[in-house]
Amino acid sequence: LEVGRPNSFWLAGFFNPQGFLTSVHQEIVRANDGWSLDSTSIVISVTPHLESQLKSSPSDGVYLHGLFLEGARWDLKNELLAEPSLKAMYYEMPIIHVRATRKK
C-alpha cells in the first residue's frame, strides 16, 4: 500500500474473505490492551452510505463494499431487508462496518 489503507475493502475480491475478517478481528484485539480474541466478538452493521460517499476509513474496524442482494433489497429508511421492486434482480448493499467489541 503506497498511499495507506483504503477507505473501504472490496470483500468479494478476496480469495478467502473469512481469513480477512479474522485478521481484522486480530488487528483490533492487538490494538487494545487487555483484550483477547476469546473476550471479543465481531460486530457487523450496515451503514446508510455507498462507497462513492466515503471520505475516510473508520476509526475502528473496516468498511466493506461490493456485496449485492438477489431477491431482496436493503431498506435504508427502516434499516432492514425488504421485498425487491418489480423487475429488479440485484441490489447493491450499502457499506458494511465490521468492528470488534468486548463480550459482556
Side-chain angles (χ1 to χ4, degrees):
L1 298 173
E2 294 178 8
V3 293
R5 184 181 211 154
N7 293 341
S8 177
F9 291 89
W10 180 42
L11 187 63
F14 289 110
F15 175 74
N16 182 5
Q18 182 64 39
F20 174 74
L21 295 174
T22 300
S23 70
V24 169
H25 190 183
Q26 290 174 344
E27 178 184 60
I28 295 168
V29 167
R30 289 182 183 138
N32 292 281
D33 290 334
W35 287 26
S36 69
L37 284 173
D38 293 337
S39 67
T40 59
S41 61
I42 291 288
V43 176
I44 298 173
S45 56
V46 180
T47 71
H49 309 290
L50 295 176
E51 181 190 8
S52 60
Q53 299 170 319
L54 286 180
K55 303 289 187 229
S56 64
S57 57
S59 59
D60 64 333
V62 295
Y63 287 140
L64 304 176
H65 72 273
L67 299 177
F68 291 83
L69 292 172
E70 181 178 359
R73 66 180 173 82
W74 184 259
D75 184 345
L76 287 172
K77 181 180 177 185
N78 297 316
E79 299 181 345
L80 50 79
L81 287 176
E83 292 289 327
S85 302
L86 294 177
K87 298 183 181 181
M89 292 186 63
Y90 303 102
Y91 290 89
E92 183 178 1
M93 279 292 293
I95 295 295
I96 296 173
H97 185 195
V98 178
R99 57 190 175 86
T101 60
R102 293 190 80 154
K103 293 178 184 175
K104 298 184 180 194

